[in-house]
Amino acid sequence: MRFEDVEQLALRAARGDSAALEQLLGAIRPDVLRRCARFLPCWQDAEEATQDVLLQVARNINRFEGRSKFSTWLHVIIANCSRQTYRSLKRRAAEQAHALPPVDVADPRTTSVIAGSRLDLLDALELLESDRPELVAPLVLRDICQLDYAEIAGHLDLPEGTVKSRIHAARTRVRASLLQ
């Protein structure tokens, strides 16, 4: 489906057209899954985040006003749901660790470097959010969702210069976290 078609479906769905919402959810699902997989190293976890994203879109489509692109609005939901899925999985793993016998530590020779890097990045973002939450969204939208500065500025309702300085500050802090 073309980008323009998705944008039009989103506008119709936001005005209450349930058939457009169903069509929209079906059209965006493959892209949402692909983008969630950028955050989460395990395909099943990305699928769980995808379901959360689709649910959030369905519940909140009436809040989409069309001032920014639907794709930008969707990127924010994807980023938030993916990070929330990671937090939930991390919490569940910690809770289950006390109930189960110790598990062998993964062999670094067979663990995916990409998967480990994603988890390190998610941990660094979590640390950044606890310290400077205003830096997280610009960084995620730029470096993971790959939006341009103008789109980010429009979505966050900030001047473009502020967006650039927040991204720079966030990269500096995340880089320091990753090097520890």
Side-chain angles (χ1 to χ4, degrees):
M1 182 169 282
R2 291 186 359 237
F3 171 79
E4 296 83 15
D5 295 338
V6 171
E7 294 291 323
Q8 287 303 312
L9 279 174
L11 288 171
R12 287 183 24 224
R15 290 189 293 255
D17 184 337
S18 58
L21 177 61
E22 287 299 317
Q23 200 174 356
L24 175 68
L25 294 175
I28 65 173
R29 188 183 192 296
D31 188 47
V32 168
L33 180 58
R34 207 170 22 262
R35 292 180 187 280
C36 287
R38 283 186 183 172
F39 283 91
L40 300 161
C42 213
W43 193 253
Q44 294 86 352
D45 299 340
E47 287 177 335
E48 182 177 329
T50 297
Q51 291 306 312
D52 291 341
V53 169
L54 296 176
L55 183 61
Q56 289 299 317
V57 169
R59 284 183 176 164
N60 297 304
I61 191 69
N62 61 327
R63 293 183 186 167
F64 175 65
E65 299 171 350
R67 289 183 300 158
S68 63
K69 294 182 205 170
F70 173 74
S71 57
T72 303
W73 186 78
L74 181 61
H75 284 304
V76 173
I77 295 172
I78 291 168
N80 291 339
C81 287
S82 295
R83 290 177 49 237
Q84 183 57 45
T85 297
Y86 174 70
R87 281 188 214 109
S88 295
L89 292 168
K90 195 169 152 182
R91 188 177 51 252
R92 274 188 255 161
E95 290 168 358
Q96 291 174 353
H98 299 296
L100 299 174
V103 179
D104 292 334
V105 176
D107 182 348
R109 294 170 296 174
T110 60
T111 302
S112 165
V113 172
I114 294 171
S117 297
R118 287 183 194 165
L119 295 178
D120 291 343
L121 177 61
L122 287 167
D123 285 337
L125 287 173
E126 199 169 317
L127 182 64
L128 179 63
E129 187 167 38
S130 68
D131 186 37
R132 298 279 309 274
E134 74 280 4
L135 300 180
V136 175
L139 178 71
V140 167
L141 292 173
R142 178 69 183 150
D143 289 351
I144 298 174
C145 298
Q146 301 173 339
L147 299 182
D148 63 37
Y149 294 112
E151 277 184 292
I152 297 166
H155 183 75
L156 297 177
D157 199 25
L158 294 169
E160 199 169 317
T162 302
V163 167
K164 288 178 180 180
S165 72
R166 286 185 181 181
I167 290 169
H168 174 73
R171 285 175 178 162
T172 301
R173 287 173 176 265
V174 166
R175 187 178 304 116
S177 294
L178 293 173
L179 294 175
Q180 290 180 347

